[in-house]
Amino acid sequence: MDERFSLFCQLDFPLEFGSTKQFLTLESNGVELNHTKNSFTSYGINLKPGIDYFVNRRWKIAASIGEIGYSNVHYKETKFNKSKFNFEANFSTVQFAVKYIIPAKK
């Protein structure tokens, strides 16, 4: 393979905290009957393969496609857990990036 190209694998650990609110309203007059709040925590791990192309010593273009991963979400008030394994390799998951290299490649 040409020295301008290199393969990489990106590893990330997404983590989310938050809450959802649901409102139950009466259609005819818009009166709110009740609302519920549900806090959640979500975490995961993802592996994304890709390729880099060095345009010059300091700049490169990167592209990754697909993803292999695992995620879990836990809702506190309803005690609901959902786990998901993910394997995607289609063109809707293509990502492009431009990278600046410090120090420059020799």
Side-chain angles (χ1 to χ4, degrees):
M1 187 175 267
D2 188 355
E3 287 184 22
R4 291 181 177 224
F5 288 97
S6 65
L7 299 176
F8 70 89
C9 202
Q10 176 180 325
L11 180 66
D12 61 37
F13 301 95
L15 185 60
E16 295 180 61
F17 302 95
S19 63
T20 60
K21 289 184 182 178
Q22 292 181 323
F23 296 94
L24 179 61
T25 58
L26 196 57
E27 291 275 334
S28 61
N29 60 11
V31 174
E32 181 183 317
L33 299 176
N34 68 354
H35 71 279
T36 58
K37 182 178 176 183
N38 205 356
S39 302
F40 69 90
T41 303
S42 175
Y43 62 89
I45 183 169
N46 297 311
L47 193 62
K48 300 176 183 180
I51 188 167
D52 284 331
Y53 174 74
F54 280 90
V55 178
N56 59 36
R57 291 180 34 211
R58 291 220 179 252
W59 292 95
K60 67 179 171 178
I61 299 170
S64 66
I65 183 168
E67 157 179 304
I68 300 168
Y70 168 79
S71 64
N72 179 285
V73 63
H74 171 73
Y75 290 93
K76 183 178 178 182
E77 285 75 17
T78 58
K79 296 184 180 10
F80 176 74
N81 280 321
K82 182 178 181 183
S83 295
K84 177 181 157 186
F85 287 97
N86 187 25
F87 178 75
E88 292 185 43
N90 57 44
F91 288 106
S92 67
T93 60
V94 174
Q95 295 178 337
F96 294 99
V98 176
K99 299 177 182 178
Y100 183 75
I101 309 301
I102 302 173
K105 180 181 176 186
K106 295 184 192 297

